[in-house]
């Protein structure tokens, strides 16, 4: 290239030839360069301009590009694809080529580079070799986004590799991770290369690939996307191979990373398939650069020679020569063979960089072998953790946790938490739970690893096709709309305008969780204000969004509950295996499982894809919560009770019972432990075995409270100070005190020394405590409400039937006024239930929560009907309408009794069955109405076509066919033979006036009879039996789960009456007035002491630890059951067989050692024989003959020597015994021994 600068370009004329290379030269006015000559257009200058320029710079310098040096190729034919090429000289810096590939052509830095070496001679590839490339190499490369470097020519193994790349590219659904096949080929081996010389910057050149026979030129492969065409210097053959070696060396020094900025060297591997002897020089240079090589056994050529020598375990120059001559019979030049032998010996000296893979004998996949080869090469060079990170990243990408455990985390390398942070992010983003577990076991501390910034990055990585992305996007758009409506700029740098994927913040995540968990995730990912003054200062006048944005936690701050946050992140993406691990590792297992159950149930309802919705519904988090709580309950009942009602730390002070209610976990409420707690709460301080009859008698005779008729549980605990009981969880008695004692009861303790108190004060406190505990128990509240509700219905019946007086001034009477007041107290109680609750939410949300209960809707309908009826009853014109409305309202109030009887153990399940059967009735009525209308309209048209009265039309078309179902069939009105003779008319005016009835039409009366028969057959036989069958099926299906549904309803009923005032309507107004007065004096105390308990820090932490221990016991049982299953036993047996096979395979190493020892012994024998011959021919004499070799040794030597001829052992025996023929120089006299001679 230096000589070309001395040629004066000005003397060249158009259509002349280059004085150096003889190519035709043409001057391009457009580009101001010479076209068609490799001498006058310097490749390095052109490539440097292209590779180092950015887009704007390239636009300015396009005129300086040399035509035919860089361009695009449009492959024509059956596969129309476009590729890119660059033509470089053999001494081009590989830095420029790599910049060209990554910067100008836009290829992402690879995470793995596999260079395919050899295989050019394979015109007919073996099927197993083709499958290895298709299923192994390309698949492994596709999973990581790798580069495959080949010669890029359409012949041999490269052609089949290109087809495999094409197939995998068509099957791939990811646009980010793809296989890039790059061809590095000599320029002089390209068929039709003249067409590439005409390529321009914006005009791709058309190129038609062809399948050419074996020769000196081949077409470019159309399945390669990028080509580097090397112009070799005729004086330097093999420059393309050197270029490949340099480029691989440069790539191996570059850095890349999966989750962020590049920080690890790119792993490079060479795959040897077959190979001619000229490959050995390139192989030696690659090994000199510490590049690992994977040799494919059975592919032939140099690959099989190396595999054979590695299996022998010993070096024998003659044997290597024979192998080379047998494999390459055309190679007879002794100098070449000697050079090849030396190269092979040098290559084998670096055995740590060589890995053999035999696809026909080994079951391991190619990606596993590649990873092991890289780890093997890395171990031989360094023991630092940083040097293993790129191999670890490949193991994560290929999900080969077994290799990571056996080869990387085997104790040889000391890992630090900082070393694993990036691969931990990779494992989380790519859903590799086994690796997450492995990294946590090997030093990653999630408390230090997970910051709010990293958590936000995890939510950024959510797939755009997932439901979570749609939910976050919806919240993001809502926030942007609010920001736009407020016309106030947000916090600086919080949401810059983006063209592509929106960057979600934890604000959107908290909003999504709020929709699922409601108050159970209140305050997630927000800063806790240090004082109330700060809250008042930060509270804006309007626009709660900005207040929430300011309260977002700092991104550098560590997450307060990392296991919980990662569990929620995994559940929201429906990554159940990952979520199961985080649940198993995190605290508060029962609460977390119920939260996951709630989220997945809500997401299954919103999910549009059936498969994802099915997997969400099949999640076992409710079963996890049930089983862990069952383990806790079997260990300690009282601690399990405390576990249900304690305010959790991770779930915004919600209790397990609250989370179970949110999740609609009916099976959880059906657990014996939960029901036992509900029974204790239901009976309050009274013993649970108190008879209902005693309770009723005491209700009507309150003086019996202070007798032994009603027994109260744990009276001795009531005299203790409630505050002192919760200091530490030291005994079961203290735990029982947690559940059975009201901390805020002023009657439980008195100031001063109890011994000094007067007897009167003690009795006074005893009487008040008994009175309070009896009337505040939910069962007593329920009983009072039931009795008073029956009294209300009796009063309503009396007023409606006996004392419903005329409108004012004659009415209403005193009893009716009492009824009005009674209903007014009902209204006050419903208002209290709907708006005056403990939840901190706005009035609209409280009202929506109130309407979620169907019985509350029934109460609203009853009250509205009562108000309408009373309003109509007060006016004389609507008096009767008012009576009618009140009569219907009485039905609604009476049906309300069903809810009261839901607590009964026998009636409750039957009520649920009736509710389910009502749905079947509606379906039955739909089918019945179809036949009813069809038959009724047809018979009306046939029998009474002249009757214009609308009321009679509806009566005959709908009402009469409905009565037919129950057997009321007036044949005298249907059958013409039974119709009586009456005075009728067809005059519509007389019919409308009611003077005479219409005459029936007897035409086609037989059709009416036929329709009646069909109608009765379908309705009475078919539809009614269908209804009975539906009822039977519903009963069978629901009967098994009825107990579960009833227990869940029982919980709701207990909670309702636990929160109700002690007095029932109409006396409940006294409780309402007292609550109002207390709220004016001080904040009203909640009645949730049995359902929500705030435990001291030490006690709460001890309870959490106890729950964690029980969870670990449960997981240990699950693991034991898993290992005892038949499937795992089969796997264990299979692994043992594999280990035995590996042991047997280890005998190969013993064979190598024996072969090496045998060669050494043979060599020693030959040396001794040579020495014996030398002494025999010398003048030295011995007084006795040389010892004769035993026959067994001779036979062993003959059988052990593979290279000796059959006559050689006999000759050796003769020579060793001194019997040498005259004229024979003796065995080994002219033989040269490598170790001695050298």
């Amino acid at each position: 290239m230096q000589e070309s600068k001395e040629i004066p370009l000005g003397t060249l004329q158009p259509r002349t030839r280059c004085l150096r290379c003889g190519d035709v030269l043409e001057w391009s006015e457009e580009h101001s360069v010479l076209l068609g000559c490799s001498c006058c257009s310097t490749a390095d200058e052109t490539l440097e301009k292209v590779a180092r320029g950015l887009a704007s710079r390239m636009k300015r310098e396009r005129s300086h590009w040399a035509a035919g040096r860089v361009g695009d190729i449009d492959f024509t034919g059956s596969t129309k694809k476009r590729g890119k090429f660059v033509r470089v000289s053999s001494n081009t810096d590989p830095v420029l080529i790599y910049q060209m590939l990554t910067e100008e052509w836009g290829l992402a830095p690879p995470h793995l580079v596999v260079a395919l070496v050899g295989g050019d001679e394979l015109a007919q590839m073996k099927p197993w070799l083709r499958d290895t490339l298709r299923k192994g190499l390309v698949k492994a490369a596709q999973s990581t986004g790798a580069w495959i470097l080949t010669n890029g020519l359409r012949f041999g193994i490269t052609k089949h590799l290109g087809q495999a790349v094409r197939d995998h590219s068509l099957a791939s659904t990811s646009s980010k991770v793809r296989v890039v096949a790059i061809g590095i080929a000599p320029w002089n081996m390209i068929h039709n290369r003249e067409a590439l010389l005409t390529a321009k910057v914006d005009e791709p050149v058309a190129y038609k690939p062809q399948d050419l026979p074996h020769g000196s030129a081949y077409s470019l492969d159309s399945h390669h996307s990028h080509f580097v065409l090397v112009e070799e210097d005729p004086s330097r053959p093999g420059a393309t191979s050197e270029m490949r070696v340099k480029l691989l060396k440069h790539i191996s020094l570059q850095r890349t990373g999966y989750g962020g900025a590049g920080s690890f060297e790119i792993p490079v591997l060479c795959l040897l398939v077959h190979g001619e002897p000229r490959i050995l020089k390139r192989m030696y240079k690659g090994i000199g650069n510490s590049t690992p090589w994977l040799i494919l056994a059975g592919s032939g050529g140099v690959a099989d020679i190396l595999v054979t020598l590695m299996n022998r375990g010993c070096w024998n120059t003659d044997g290597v020569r024979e192998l080379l001559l047998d494999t390459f019979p055309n190679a007879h030049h002794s100098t070449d063979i000697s050079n090849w032998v030396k190269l092979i010996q040098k290559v084998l000296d670096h055995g740590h960089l060589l890995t053999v893979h035999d696809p026909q004998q080994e079951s391991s996949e190619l990606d596993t072998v590649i990873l092991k080869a890289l780890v093997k090469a890395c171990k031989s060079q360094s023991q630092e953790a940083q040097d293993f990170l790129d191999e670890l990243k490949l193991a994560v990408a290929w999900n080969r946790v077994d290799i990571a455990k056996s080869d990387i985390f085997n104790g040889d390398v000391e890992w630090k938490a900082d070393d694993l942070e990036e691969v931990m992010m990779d494992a989380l983003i790519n859903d590799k739970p086994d690796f997450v577990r492995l990294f946590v076991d090997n030093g990653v501390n999630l408390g230090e690893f997970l910051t709010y910034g990293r958590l936000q990055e995890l939510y950024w990585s959510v797939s755009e096709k997932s439901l979570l992305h749609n939910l976050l996007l919806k919240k993001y758009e809502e926030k942007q709309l609010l920001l736009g409506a407020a016309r106030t700029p947000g916090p600086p740098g919080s949401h810059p305008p983006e063209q592509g994927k929106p960057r979600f913040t934890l604000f959107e995540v908290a909003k999504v969780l709020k929709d699922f968990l409601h108050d159970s995730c209140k305050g997630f990912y927000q800063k806790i204000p240090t004082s109330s003054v700060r809250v008042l200062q930060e509270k804006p006048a309007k626009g709660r969004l900005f207040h929430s944005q300011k309260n977002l936690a700092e991104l550098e701050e560590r997450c307060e509950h990392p296991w919980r946050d990662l569990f929620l992140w995994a559940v929201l993406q429906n990554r159940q295996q990952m979520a199961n691990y985080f649940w198993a590792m995190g605290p508060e297992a029962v609460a977390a499982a119920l939260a996951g159950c709630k989220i997945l149930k809500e997401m299954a309802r919103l999910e549009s894809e059936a498969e994802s919705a099915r997997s969400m519904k099949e999640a076992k988090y409710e079963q996890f919560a049930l089983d862990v709580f069952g383990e806790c309950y079997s260990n300690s009942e009282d601690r399990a009770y405390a576990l249900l009602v304690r305010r959790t730390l991770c779930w915004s002070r919600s209790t397990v019972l609250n989370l179970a209610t949110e999740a609609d976990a009916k099976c959880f409420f059906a657990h014996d432990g939960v029901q036992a707690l509900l029974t204790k709460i239901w009976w309050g301080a009274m013993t649970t075995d108190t008879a209902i009859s005693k309770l009723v008698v005491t209700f009507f005779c309150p003086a019996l409270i202070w007798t032994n008729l009603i027994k109260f549980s744990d009276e001795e605990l009531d005299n203790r100070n409630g505050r002192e009981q919760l200091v530490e969880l030291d005994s079961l008695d203290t735990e029982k005190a947690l559940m059975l004692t009201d901390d805020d009861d002023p009657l439980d303790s008195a100031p001063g020394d109890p011994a000094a108190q007067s007897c009167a004060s003690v009795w006074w406190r005893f009487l008040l405590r008994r009175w309070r505990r009896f009337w505040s128990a939910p069962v007593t509240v329920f009983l009072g409400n039931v009795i008073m509700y029956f009294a209300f219905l009796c009063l309503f019946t009396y007023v409606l039937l006996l004392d419903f007086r005329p409108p004012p001034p004659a009415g209403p009477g005193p009893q009716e006024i009492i009824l009005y007041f009674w209903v007014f107290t009902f209204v006050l109680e419903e208002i209290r239930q709907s708006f005056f609750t403990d939840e901190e939410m706005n009035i609209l949300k409280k009202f929506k929560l109130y309407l979620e209960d169907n019985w509350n809707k029934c109460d609203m309908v009853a009250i509205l009907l009562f108000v309408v009826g009373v309003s109509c009853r007060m006016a004389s014109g609507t008096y009767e309408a008012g009576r009618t409305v009140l009569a219907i309202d009485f039905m609604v109030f009476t049906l309300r009794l069903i809810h009261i009887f839901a607590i009964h153990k026998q009636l409750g399940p039957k009520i649920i069955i009736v509710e389910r059967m009502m749905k079947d009735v509606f379906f039955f009525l739909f089918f019945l109405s179809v036949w009813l209308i069809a038959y009724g309209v047809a018979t009306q048209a046939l029998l009474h076509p002249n009757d214009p009265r609308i009321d009679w039309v509806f009566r005959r078309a709908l009402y009469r066919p409905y009565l037919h179902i129950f057997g009321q069939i007036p044949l005298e009105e249907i059958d013409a033979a039974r119709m009586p003779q009456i005075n009728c008319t067809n005059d519509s005016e007389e019919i409308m006036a009611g003077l005479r009835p219409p005459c029936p039409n007897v035409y086609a009366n037989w059709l009416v009879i036929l329709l009646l028969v069909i109608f009765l057959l379908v309705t009475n036989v078919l539809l009614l039996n269908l209804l009975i069958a539906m009822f039977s099926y519903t009963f069978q299906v629901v009967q098994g789960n009825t107990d579960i549904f009833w227990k869940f309803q029982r919980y709701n009923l207990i909670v309702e009456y636990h929160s109700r005032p002690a007095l029932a309507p109409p006396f409940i107004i006294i409780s309402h007035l007292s609550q109002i007065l207390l709220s004016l004096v001080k904040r009203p105390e909640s009645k949730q002491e049995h359902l929500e308990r705030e435990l001291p820090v030490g006690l709460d932490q001890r309870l959490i630890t106890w729950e964690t221990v029980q969870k670990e016991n449960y997981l240990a049982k699950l693991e034991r059951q898993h290992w005892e299953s038949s499937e795992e036993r089969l796997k264990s047996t299979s692994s043992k067989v594999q280990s035995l096979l590996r042991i047997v395979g280890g005998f190969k190493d013993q064979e190598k050692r024996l072969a090496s020892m045998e060669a050494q012994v043979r060599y020693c024998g030959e040396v001794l024989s040579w020495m014996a011959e030398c002494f025999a021919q010398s003048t030295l004499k011995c007084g006795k003959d040389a010892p004769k070799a035993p026959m067994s040794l001779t036979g062993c030597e003959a059988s052990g020597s593979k290279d000796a001829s059959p006559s050689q052992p006999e000759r050796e025996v003769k020579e060793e015994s001194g019997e040498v023929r005259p004229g024979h120089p003796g065995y080994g006299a002219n033989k040269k021994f490598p170790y001695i001679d050298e």
Side-chain angles (χ1 to χ4, degrees), residues 680-700:
K680 295 170 71 69
I681 295 174
W682 177 248
W683 286 97
M686 295 180 287
T687 57
T688 57
D689 58 349
T690 304
I692 297 295
S693 58
K694 295 181 181 180
L695 195 65
V696 174
V697 171
T698 310
F699 184 85
F700 288 102

Side-chain angles (χ1 to χ4, degrees), residues 84 213 290 294 418 515 531 546 552 669 741 755 773 789 991 1016 1119 1122 1215 1238:
K84 297 179 179 296
S290 300
L294 178 60
D418 297 340
D515 293 343
S531 63
F546 307 118
L552 282 179
F669 282 106
T741 307
R773 290 182 181 275
Y789 197 79
I991 295 173
L1016 293 177
E1119 188 174 2
H1122 175 70
E1215 292 169 347
E1238 291 178 3

Side-chain angles (χ1 to χ4, degrees), residues 1058-1108:
H1058 182 271
S1059 60
R1060 277 196 175 191
L1063 299 177
F1067 307 108
I1068 197 173
I1069 194 171
I1070 300 174
S1071 300
H1072 292 161
L1073 293 175
S1074 63
Q1075 288 182 2
I1076 293 174
L1077 293 177
L1078 288 175
S1079 64
L1080 296 177
V1081 177
K1082 62 178 182 178
R1083 183 176 180 180
E1085 298 175 354
S1086 173
K1087 245 194 103 177
Q1088 301 291 324
E1089 65 272 2
H1090 288 110
L1091 296 176
E1092 296 181 5
R1093 299 302 295 257
E1094 188 75 38
L1095 303 182
V1097 177
L1099 175 62
D1100 193 65
Q1101 189 62 40
R1102 194 165 182 176
L1103 196 61
I1104 291 175
T1105 305
W1106 172 77
E1107 180 192 10
T1108 303

